[in-house]
Amino acid sequence: MMTMSSVAATCNIIVITDPTGQDPNGAAAGSMSYADNMFQSTFLMSKNNHFAVLSGGTGSSDTRLDSIVDAVANLENNASAASAASIASQYKGARLVVGGPTIGAAIGGSFNAYVITVDDVSNEVKVTPYNSGVATLPPGQKGAIIHLRNTAGNPLYGTADSVRKETAINIGKMIRDGYPATTILSEAMGEVARDSGEKYGGGGVNLISGISTDDMFTPKEMNATGYPMDEEYSKVCDDCGWALGYPAAEAYGKCPVCGGEIRTVYAYEALGAALTVSSNAVSVSVYGSDRPGLAATTKEIVEASVAKYGYDASAIAGSINRGIDNGLLMGVDHVEPKDINVKQGSKAVGVYYNSLPGDRSSPAWDLPIDGNILTILGSIQTAVGIILILLVVFRSRLLKSFQDR
């Protein structure tokens, strides 16, 4: 019988920089931990009502699930953030962090947290510690809540108190200086990961735009850690839009498409980029294959194509096919313009793939050599044998060439 160890998100952060809900990047939330199984204790988001519920604590998974269900039901019935968070005290060891752009935020249950507020007029930053009852960020107030504890076994155990305070101060400074909530969340998660060791995703949500990192950073298997938020996640070429995730990205020092310089993107930076909505952002949907990494790489290619050529289905198909030929996209066949569904008005692109049969990673080559010859070549173990086969295959062409001369 397979068992799954229980986990609690030891770091919960919610940031609200626009309490009116007008800024598409004005409210964000996220969770991570040193523990395994972070898909078990991350976050729940309502896209319609723009709130999040982050769970954690020392209680069992069942306890947290029950508290989450009750909190969501309360929020759906227009309860305040403080009221929903207070539900955690009814469940042994549970913790709830709840909030949204217009309802403010609150934390209840078992926690060690700071509430950060920034005054609209004076820009004064206040950072206040709490560890019991219910701590709140009132509606209409710019600010944030950060909870942080260390997990037993973490090599940096004992750092949570100092890191919690320092990160809270830095969150306040970033809110004061006008950074969007999505950027502040990603920077705070990077700082917590580096300095406290509570680093495994988890992930985050954009509460106003309804965007989530989904399974970008959560564990791929049970009883495993998520992706370390302070480690390299991908390499990106800003010139042509090429991108590739780790560990495959380690092999590249230059962009294989245009030869340009490439930069390393850390996981917390990738989280911020995934959640942040920009004026030229493109919503990309991928259909026909769930191969790991396909959707993320397709999104990078489509965004680069749109930035250069606009919403042109033929250009997007050409960019994707070059990605397939260059080995950036694997396990799918070439696409045609009819496989690209473009909705320029809503800045959306749908890509419909056909998966390749069997274990093939790339489409068949268009070569003047029969596929069976390639199979034979692959089984020959000496260079001399390969040369002899090639001479046989191309002898008619060689003879004709000599005759022409």
Side-chain angles (χ1 to χ4, degrees), residues 230-300:
D230 60 341
E231 292 188 9
E232 299 94 336
Y233 189 78
S234 63
K235 287 185 177 180
V236 176
C237 174
D238 292 321
D239 293 333
C240 71
W242 172 88
L244 187 65
Y246 275 77
E250 288 183 289
Y252 294 88
K254 294 280 187 179
C255 176
V257 176
C258 70
E261 296 294 327
I262 55 179
R263 61 182 172 89
T264 300
V265 177
Y266 284 79
Y268 70 90
E269 294 174 321
L271 178 143
L275 297 181
T276 301
V277 176
S278 61
S279 58
N280 60 351
V282 184
S283 174
V284 180
S285 302
V286 172
Y287 307 93
S289 175
D290 58 359
R291 193 179 182 93
L294 180 68
T297 305
T298 300
K299 177 177 173 63
E300 296 283 354

Side-chain angles (χ1 to χ4, degrees), residues 289-361:
S289 175
D290 58 359
R291 193 179 182 93
L294 180 68
T297 305
T298 300
K299 177 177 173 63
E300 296 283 354
I301 292 174
V302 171
E303 286 179 342
S305 180
V306 169
K308 190 171 184 178
Y309 304 111
Y311 287 87
D312 184 297
S314 296
I316 293 172
S319 297
I320 289 173
N321 289 335
R322 285 191 294 274
I324 293 172
D325 294 339
N326 291 326
L328 303 180
L329 297 167
M330 304 180 71
V332 291
D333 209 343
H334 291 111
V335 296
E336 299 178 19
K338 66 181 179 62
D339 301 318
I340 311 298
N341 184 17
V342 174
K343 296 182 178 179
Q344 184 170 352
S346 56
K347 296 183 178 180
V349 174
V351 180
Y352 294 81
Y353 285 115
N354 286 317
S355 296
L356 293 173
D359 295 327
R360 281 173 50 190
S361 59

Side-chain angles (χ1 to χ4, degrees), residues 375-396:
T375 302
I376 296 171
L377 287 172
S379 63
I380 295 175
Q381 301 300 308
T382 68
V384 173
I386 293 174
I387 292 171
L388 289 174
I389 288 292
L390 291 175
L391 286 173
V392 170
V393 172
F394 290 107
R395 64 183 178 182
S396 62

